[in-house]
Amino acid sequence: MTPALLAIACLLTITLGYIGLCAASPFGTCRKCRGFGFALTTDRKGSLKRGKHCRRCDGHGKRIRLGRWLYNRAARTYRAGTR
């Protein structure tokens, strides 16, 4: 197998895997709060306590994946154009 075909096969496998992941699980954990929905802070004693509400995921701990967001946008544009 030539290196170009091997690279194409690897990229195709990764792309199809990500498409399958977006179809099976459209929501992933928020990268900012790591799925907690809030930030963890420490008090002066060093013990953990609940911090501020996460603005990025609105406190849910889940965000829509980029691939699913792109698919939703394309589907919405297609539906709007075929009326």
Side-chain angles (χ1 to χ4, degrees):
M1 208 172 190
T2 64
L5 286 176
L6 184 63
I8 291 171
C10 287
L11 286 174
L12 188 63
T13 303
I14 290 170
T15 303
L16 291 177
Y18 185 68
I19 289 171
L21 178 68
C22 288
S25 175
F27 295 98
T29 58
C30 178
R31 292 187 308 266
K32 186 175 182 183
C33 65
R34 293 183 296 258
F36 288 117
F38 54 87
L40 289 175
T41 59
T42 56
D43 58 1
R44 289 188 284 170
K45 297 176 192 172
S47 62
L48 291 174
K49 67 177 200 169
R50 184 183 176 122
K52 289 185 176 181
H53 180 79
C54 182
R55 293 185 318 188
R56 190 178 281 181
C57 66
D58 198 29
H60 296 290
K62 297 285 185 187
R63 294 198 57 201
I64 193 159
R65 294 185 195 274
L66 177 66
R68 187 60 184 215
W69 183 83
L70 289 172
Y71 172 77
N72 289 347
R73 181 64 54 106
R76 190 177 305 125
T77 303
Y78 177 77
R79 281 193 304 268
T82 56
R83 286 186 185 153

